[in-house]
Amino acid sequence: MHAQAERVGCEITREKAVEASQTEDGFRIETETGDEYATESLVAAAKYGREWLETLDEGEFLGDDGGVDINWEEHKRYGRTSVDGLYFAGRLGTAEDQAVVAAGQAGETALGLIHDVRRDEGLPEDLATHYTDWVFVQGSVIDGDWEAHVRKEFPERVGDADLSEARFDELQSQYVERKVEQAISPSEQRKRRRDGHRHLVEHIDDDAVLERAEEIKTERSSGLDDERQ
């Protein structure tokens, strides 16, 4: 998972956060080594050792018993908290202890963050929460010109939003460009699948890979022999 995150541009710092504070632009995080990081949004996911969040609490969501008390209906799920820009994911959010359940809730938190970023960019509500897929294969959503479809869709979804003509054109260009980038060709899909398999193999025991390769070689050889008979 870390390797995949780094491949798409994330920087992973293996340090423990010890303090968080709000700034005019978002948050400042200090680690145990004294390093500081500035961020517009903050996603916290570790249930234990969450004392570093207490400076952001304002007595609203960190209970004395170690639990997290958030009115999720009020904050409309998606990991949002009473502190603007602060999100809870996984076990710190609404998920149970199982890893796969926590990961699913963290995905929902990621969607909430994306929606909020789009709202901050000025997109009307229906556009901010629409089509949050990372990528899709060309032709799998609609038949025809995807760019023309998205360009036509934009004013329909803007509705009665109060936008100047210049702002409308600016947002439409940004929206169309982003959506066009999300469409990949079938050949690109196959390439990404092959690359993904190779990256996965890097994290599997070499002996197990070689053993399975020999089994595949034998199976294929046996199959050819059967065809010849």
Side-chain angles (χ1 to χ4, degrees):
M1 187 177 294
H2 286 179
Q4 169 65 9
E6 290 174 332
R7 277 193 296 274
V8 297
C10 297
E11 179 182 346
I12 297 177
T13 300
R14 293 174 173 81
E15 298 180 27
K16 181 180 179 180
V18 295
E19 184 177 342
S21 59
Q22 287 185 278
T23 65
E24 291 184 0
D25 299 320
F27 301 91
R28 180 188 63 83
I29 313 301
E30 182 177 342
T31 69
E32 58 188 345
T33 61
D35 292 336
E36 294 186 357
Y37 298 88
T39 177
E40 294 181 5
S41 302
L42 176 61
V43 179
K47 176 183 178 182
Y48 302 103
R50 56 169 177 70
E51 294 80 8
W52 62 283
L53 292 170
E54 292 179 355
T55 52
L56 303 175
D57 178 22
E58 300 177 350
E60 294 201 29
F61 54 75
L62 297 180
D64 295 334
D65 60 353
V68 176
D69 181 18
I70 295 180
N71 185 333
W72 294 106
E73 285 298 321
E74 177 184 345
H75 296 293
K76 301 177 183 178
R77 300 170 41 231
Y78 292 110
R80 299 184 182 99
T81 70
S82 54
V83 176
D84 188 32
L86 173 65
Y87 302 79
F88 283 170
R91 190 62 187 90
L92 191 56
T94 57
E96 298 298 331
D97 292 319
Q98 295 80 6
V100 65
V101 178
Q105 193 281 329
E108 182 182 72
T109 295
L111 286 178
L113 177 54
I114 292 172
H115 295 167
D116 291 344
V117 168
R118 289 180 173 181
R119 291 187 185 98
D120 291 343
E121 291 175 347
L123 286 178
E125 181 67 20
D126 198 19
L127 285 170
T129 59
H130 186 58
Y131 281 144
T132 50
D133 303 89
W134 299 119
V135 294
F136 61 91
V137 179
Q138 294 168 354
S140 64
V141 178
I142 65 165
D143 293 326
D145 189 331
W146 171 246
E147 180 176 351
H149 170 77
V150 173
R151 191 171 295 279
K152 178 183 178 182
E153 175 189 65
F154 183 85
E156 296 173 354
R157 291 193 171 276
V158 165
D160 298 329
D162 185 16
L163 299 173
S164 66
E165 183 176 349
R167 184 58 175 160
F168 178 94
D169 291 342
E170 178 185 11
L171 289 177
Q172 184 181 47
S173 295
Q174 293 174 357
Y175 183 77
V176 171
E177 180 181 1
R178 179 180 294 158
K179 294 306 175 185
V180 169
E181 290 177 349
Q182 287 181 322
I184 63 174
S185 66
S187 60
E188 175 64 17
Q189 181 194 38
R190 290 191 293 271
K191 177 182 180 299
R192 294 189 182 192
R193 183 184 293 119
R194 289 194 301 269
D195 291 344
H197 290 167
R198 289 186 177 276
H199 290 311
L200 180 61
V201 168
E202 294 175 1
H203 298 275
I204 301 176
D205 179 73
D206 290 348
D207 292 336
V209 173
L210 293 173
E211 181 180 343
R212 179 55 184 149
E214 286 297 322
E215 291 174 354
I216 294 174
K217 184 177 179 180
T218 300
E219 291 169 1
R220 289 181 175 177
S221 176
S222 176
L224 290 174
D225 291 340
D226 292 341
E227 292 178 3
R228 291 172 183 152
Q229 292 178 1

